[in-house]
Amino acid sequence: MIRAVESSPQVSAPVLAAYSYCETVTGQQARNFAYGIRLLPTSKRRAMSALYAFSRRVDDIGDGALDGEVKTARLEETRALLARVRAGEVEEDDTDPVAVALAHTARTFPIPLRGLDELIDGVLMDVRGETYETWDDLKAYCRCVAGAIGRLSLGVFGTEPGARGAERAPEYADTLGLALQLTNILRDVREDAEGGRTYLPADDLAKFGCSAGFDGPKPPEGSDFAGLVHFEVRRARALFAEGYRLLPLLDRRSGACVAAMAGIYRRLLDRIERDPEAVLRGRVSLPGREKAYVAVRGLSGLDARHVSRRTVRRHP
């Protein structure tokens, strides 16, 4: 069992201000993520915002316009800040609100901070311009940038006392992170190509005649782009199916948070599957009312109960 530790209601003014800053960053920069975490109790919502704000800083360095050497130096500076957090060296009056909030979160919840080191490792792979020959290669990258976030989040959520199979919760959280990241990769294939990045495995691209890349609103001449997208959608769906086994292991509100975030991405996947070329024409997204519906569905526990019934059938 992984038990989350609830924070004390007595939180100092500087720490509250730091959390407020992180929640503002999250609300402005991560609409899908924000829909999920608003279902959490205050202490967990703040902690998730701190994790997001730190992660966003790392991502922004990797996605910025600086040259590679400067990005690498900035990322290593961020790693040094993480080491200070890990060593308990960040005081409440520190001038960096993200560091203050993350330090408080690390004292309050059993989060595996090494996961943020893995995130930095993954972004360094982006800075180096690495490409991926096989799914196994891409999976290693996805585990750094998304699976690790799943495991960090589990440190905040904890698992329900006595939940059957709770020892596999980190594995499920990691797999759900992979599902979300692969959906992101499909959604952003045109945007990434314009930035000079290719994430889909080279052997998959070759199999479907897409090795020329995606530099416009139409697929490469003579390619089976729809076949490629449907192949990757099936892979993502299999990851979702496995990762969703995390839901029955969580308390109601943590499960609702995960179900909401994952549900939004699953619906994105449905849209991409129905119209594969949409990802080449622009950014595929869900309207706010649909996100709200997914959040209500998660809070109702429908997804968790569905997974529980399916698991019982598989393992009588």
Side-chain angles (χ1 to χ4, degrees):
M1 178 181 69
I2 301 170
R3 188 186 298 274
V5 180
E6 289 290 342
S7 63
S8 165
Q10 300 300 320
V11 180
S12 70
V15 172
L16 285 176
Y19 276 129
S20 179
Y21 173 84
C22 293
E23 289 188 283
T24 298
V25 170
T26 303
Q28 292 176 345
Q29 303 294 331
R31 303 287 176 83
N32 293 343
F33 187 80
Y35 258 94
I37 68 170
R38 69 176 60 176
L39 302 175
L40 293 170
T42 300
S43 60
K44 292 184 179 182
R45 187 185 70 245
R46 289 171 178 164
M48 292 296 290
S49 294
L51 287 174
Y52 176 81
F54 186 91
S55 301
R56 183 74 192 195
R57 177 179 296 181
V58 174
D59 284 341
D60 284 348
I61 294 171
D63 292 337
L66 301 170
D67 65 42
E69 288 187 4
V70 176
K71 286 182 179 182
T72 298
R74 294 278 179 88
L75 288 167
E76 293 304 337
E77 289 170 6
T78 307
R79 196 191 299 277
L81 174 61
L82 181 59
R84 287 182 56 220
V85 170
R86 184 182 290 111
E89 296 173 356
V90 175
E91 302 295 335
E92 291 188 355
D93 60 353
D94 194 282
T95 57
D96 185 337
V98 176
V100 172
L102 183 62
H104 186 269
T105 293
R107 290 194 300 270
T108 308
F109 295 95
I111 57 172
L113 283 173
R114 170 59 192 155
L116 292 172
D117 277 302
E118 292 179 49
L119 173 63
I120 294 170
D121 292 339
V123 174
L124 282 168
M125 293 166 74
D126 284 337
V127 172
R128 294 193 295 266
E130 293 192 19
T131 55
Y132 309 96
E133 290 296 317
T134 68
W135 165 239
D136 282 343
D137 295 335
L138 178 59
K139 188 161 57 175
Y141 166 79
C142 291
R143 288 196 188 285
C144 284
V145 299
I149 301 302
R151 286 176 265 121
L152 284 157
S153 301
L154 181 62
V156 174
F157 299 145
T159 55
E160 278 284 78
R164 182 180 177 185
E167 71 280 355
R168 297 192 66 184
E171 173 190 336
Y172 297 146
D174 184 275
T175 300
L176 197 54
L178 264 62
L180 299 178
Q181 186 64 22
L182 183 53
T183 304
N184 265 337
I185 288 170
L186 286 172
R187 182 193 63 188
D188 297 341
V189 65
R190 169 80 183 277
E191 182 181 328
D192 288 333
E194 290 175 346
R197 294 176 179 170
T198 300
Y199 290 102
L200 291 175
D203 58 2
D204 292 353
L205 296 175
K207 186 187 304 181
F208 293 95
C210 294
S211 296
F214 313 106
D215 57 359
K218 294 290 184 182
E221 187 72 26
S223 68
D224 180 12
F225 181 72
L228 171 68
V229 170
H230 290 151
F231 178 80
E232 303 298 349
V233 165
R234 288 193 296 273
R235 175 176 277 156
R237 288 197 191 286
L239 292 169
F240 273 116
E242 181 69 10
Y244 258 54
R245 297 176 72 176
L246 175 66
L247 295 183
L249 307 179
L250 306 177
D251 67 76
R252 179 172 175 265
R253 291 177 71 176
S254 295
C257 171
V258 174
M261 288 189 285
I264 288 169
Y265 277 86
R266 285 185 67 187
R267 284 173 175 259
L268 282 175
L269 206 60
D270 291 341
R271 291 191 170 211
I272 292 168
E273 183 179 38
R274 287 195 298 269
D275 183 8
E277 290 189 26
V279 299
L280 299 179
R281 298 191 297 267
R283 192 178 183 88
V284 179
S285 62
L286 298 184
R289 64 182 181 277
E290 190 168 351
K291 292 179 183 178
Y293 168 77
V294 173
V296 170
R297 181 181 172 89
L299 195 57
S300 73
L302 287 173
D303 293 317
R305 289 197 294 273
H306 175 71
V307 174
S308 293
R309 289 194 298 269
R310 189 174 60 202
T311 302
V312 168
R313 287 197 297 269
R314 286 180 181 176
H315 305 283

